[in-house]
């Protein structure tokens, strides 16, 4: 079980439970490895979050159990926040993303492991 709070620039989560779930390396790929939304940050964020939800489900977890999210975005700049948030909002209801979101970090990187990968997601959850 987790609870999230947010005020000004501070946010956090408190979890109780014993089973840790770590999902990482979630990118915009279909199960067969086919890229989704090449060159489209919003589309890649949406698919990476769908894949994160699938990874969580594999451990009987949901976004309601997530204590922390980390997003790695290539060539980040403040002008990309609109596209980034459009991707989050596009799948919020579908994936069960809570509002407010769990504490999250967005880290700009030069590149990820393949040139067409624009975003990678990590999630940490705690189950009772």
């Amino acid at each position: 079980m987790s609870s999230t709070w947010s005020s000004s620039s501070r946010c956090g989560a408190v979890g109780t439970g014993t089973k840790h779930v770590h999902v990482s390396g979630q990118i915009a790929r279909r199960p067969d490895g086919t890229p989704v939304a090449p060159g489209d940050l919003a589309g890649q964020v949406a698919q990476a979050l769908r894949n994160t939800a699938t990874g969580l489900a594999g451990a009987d977890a949901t976004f309601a159990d997530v204590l922390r999210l980390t997003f790695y975005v290539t060539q980040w700049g403040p002008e990309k926040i609109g596209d980034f948030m459009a991707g989050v909002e596009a799948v919020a209801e579908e994936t069960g993303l809570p509002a407010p979101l769990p504490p999250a970090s967005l880290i700009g990187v030069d590149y990820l492991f393949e040139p067409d990968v624009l975003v990678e997601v990590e999630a940490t959850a705690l189950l009772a």
Side-chain angles (χ1 to χ4, degrees):
M1 171 185 237
S2 68
S3 62
T4 302
W5 75 91
S6 178
S7 65
S8 322
S9 63
R10 296 181 175 93
C11 63
V14 175
T16 57
T18 57
K19 182 179 178 182
H20 290 246
V21 178
H22 299 267
V23 177
S24 65
Q26 300 307 297
I27 60 172
R29 294 276 198 273
R30 291 181 183 89
D32 67 1
T34 306
V36 174
D40 174 15
L41 180 59
Q44 286 203 19
V45 168
Q47 186 62 43
L49 286 168
R50 283 184 191 104
N51 292 345
T52 302
T54 299
L56 289 166
D60 295 324
T62 69
F63 276 111
D65 302 306
V66 170
L67 296 173
R68 179 176 174 80
L69 289 169
T70 304
F71 297 88
Y72 299 93
V73 181
T74 61
Q75 304 300 312
W76 178 257
E79 71 281 357
K80 293 185 177 187
I81 194 66
D83 288 339
F84 178 85
M85 290 308 298
V88 172
E89 292 165 5
V91 295
E93 188 174 329
E94 171 190 337
T95 61
L97 277 168
L101 286 174
S105 295
L106 191 156
I107 301 169
V109 297
D110 289 335
Y111 53 87
L112 291 163
F113 68 99
E114 290 185 8
D116 66 318
V117 177
L118 304 179
V119 64
E120 183 175 326
V121 181
E122 294 180 346
T124 301
L126 188 61
L127 302 176

